[in-house]
Amino acid sequence: MTLLKIDHLKKSFNKKTILEDVNLEINKGDVIAVIGPSGSGKTTFLKNINLLEHPDSGTLSIEDKKLDLSHVSTQDELWLRRHIAMVFQNYALFKNKTAFENITTGLIYGKHLDKKEAAKIAEEELKQVNMLDKKDFYPSQLSGGQQQRIGIARATALKPSVILFDEPTSALDPELVGTVVDDIDQLAKNGQTMIVVTHLISFAKRIANKVIFFEDGEILSAGTPEEIIDNPKNDRIKKFLEAVSRDK
């Protein structure tokens, strides 16, 4: 069952093409890993899906709603953000709010829940990422891994159809990567539909049922982890994976 469909997504900055006619169809429960070289448009792709950046053209269909991405109203934008949540590379938490408040704010002001219901959901999601004991801590009092787990809890609290992850482990110390990977792996096992941009090939293989390789703002190839990572037919992908392997 198709959950999210993106057609002819295009984006440019200062006459430089960043995304060139990107098309993607995602089924409910899919976990899509997006790999490719730096500067290939992977992060821009996520931000355009979530309308943190506005595409030049293209359409997005989700939950039986189709949006013309070149003409999106504020109302449509807010609706989309309730259905497509995002976890950021640099956490993007509110510095002046506690872990608990970082989660309840979106529920109260975005989904218009009352404070009691928002508090209940926040506590449930904090418990899921083993962070309930840190609910009254501010971001500055938390490690990078802990902040990222709060970011994950904030996203899952919205009960979104799709969660986007932009390099969720890249800002973490190596010893903290495992806990965040485990959290995302658990979401995958629970059936959460996700698109994950990552530079960790082993992580991509672990969580994804589909891998797409981005190059120069286009999806160069898409397939299973076995097809794209274990047995790539494309010479460009082979070269990329060899380079990534050497960098370890």
Side-chain angles (χ1 to χ4, degrees):
M1 173 188 164
T2 300
L3 175 65
L4 174 64
K5 193 168 187 285
I6 297 158
D7 289 304
H8 307 300
L9 179 62
K10 296 182 180 181
K11 178 65 178 178
S12 59
F13 288 113
N14 299 322
K15 298 183 179 179
K16 176 179 169 58
T17 299
I18 309 299
L19 298 175
E20 179 63 62
D21 198 32
V22 178
N23 300 276
L24 185 63
E25 196 165 319
I26 299 172
N27 293 325
K28 186 174 176 61
D30 274 351
V31 180
I32 312 293
V34 184
I35 63 172
S38 298
S40 59
K42 302 184 300 295
T43 293
T44 300
F45 175 55
L46 292 191
K47 288 182 175 179
N48 276 257
I49 293 173
N50 203 36
L51 297 178
L52 292 172
E53 293 177 3
H54 287 84
D56 298 329
S57 61
T59 61
L60 184 152
S61 302
I62 184 170
E63 301 285 350
D64 299 323
K65 188 180 181 80
K66 185 173 182 178
L67 300 176
D68 177 352
L69 295 176
S70 61
H71 298 92
V72 181
S73 68
T74 301
Q75 188 177 0
D76 284 338
E77 196 170 302
L78 293 172
W79 182 91
L80 189 67
R81 298 250 177 86
R82 287 196 292 270
H83 289 78
I84 303 179
M86 188 156 174
V87 176
F88 298 86
Q89 179 178 347
N90 62 351
Y91 326 130
L93 300 178
F94 297 115
K95 305 296 184 190
N96 63 336
K97 295 183 185 296
T98 64
F100 181 77
E101 291 167 339
N102 262 279
I103 298 170
T104 57
T105 296
L107 296 172
I108 294 167
Y109 297 103
K111 296 197 78 171
H112 308 296
L113 301 184
D114 63 51
K115 290 183 178 180
K116 187 175 180 180
E117 189 176 358
K120 182 183 177 184
I121 293 171
E123 292 201 352
E124 288 171 354
E125 297 304 328
L126 285 167
K127 190 175 180 181
Q128 285 295 315
V129 294
N130 296 310
M131 290 291 292
L132 188 56
D133 61 330
K134 299 288 194 296
K135 62 180 268 189
D136 296 322
F137 283 54
Y138 288 89
S140 62
Q141 298 172 301
L142 300 171
S143 70
Q146 290 170 332
Q147 289 186 65
Q148 192 59 292
R149 297 181 103 176
I150 298 301
I152 292 170
R154 179 175 62 182
T156 56
L158 296 170
K159 301 293 186 281
S161 301
V162 181
I163 302 180
L164 311 177
F165 290 85
D166 182 23
E167 296 277 13
T169 62
S170 66
L172 303 180
D173 293 333
E175 66 268 25
L176 299 175
V177 169
T179 57
V180 171
V181 168
D182 287 345
D183 289 337
I184 298 172
D185 189 31
Q186 188 58 53
L187 288 176
K189 289 174 180 174
N190 292 343
Q192 175 66 58
T193 308
M194 296 183 279
I195 305 176
V196 184
V197 168
T198 183
H199 65 286
L200 292 178
I201 302 304
S202 59
F203 175 40
K205 281 183 64 174
R206 175 178 168 181
I207 63 162
N209 67 308
K210 185 175 181 181
V211 177
I212 62 178
F213 184 87
F214 242 77
E215 170 104 309
D216 295 331
E218 297 181 275
I219 296 177
L220 185 64
S221 190
T224 65
E226 292 76 17
E227 291 168 335
I228 303 298
I229 296 172
D230 292 337
N231 301 290
K233 301 290 190 291
N234 186 290
D235 288 339
R236 175 65 188 98
I237 299 175
K238 288 179 184 177
K239 186 178 177 182
F240 170 80
L241 292 171
E242 287 167 3
V244 170
S245 179
R246 285 197 303 271
D247 288 342
K248 285 184 179 179

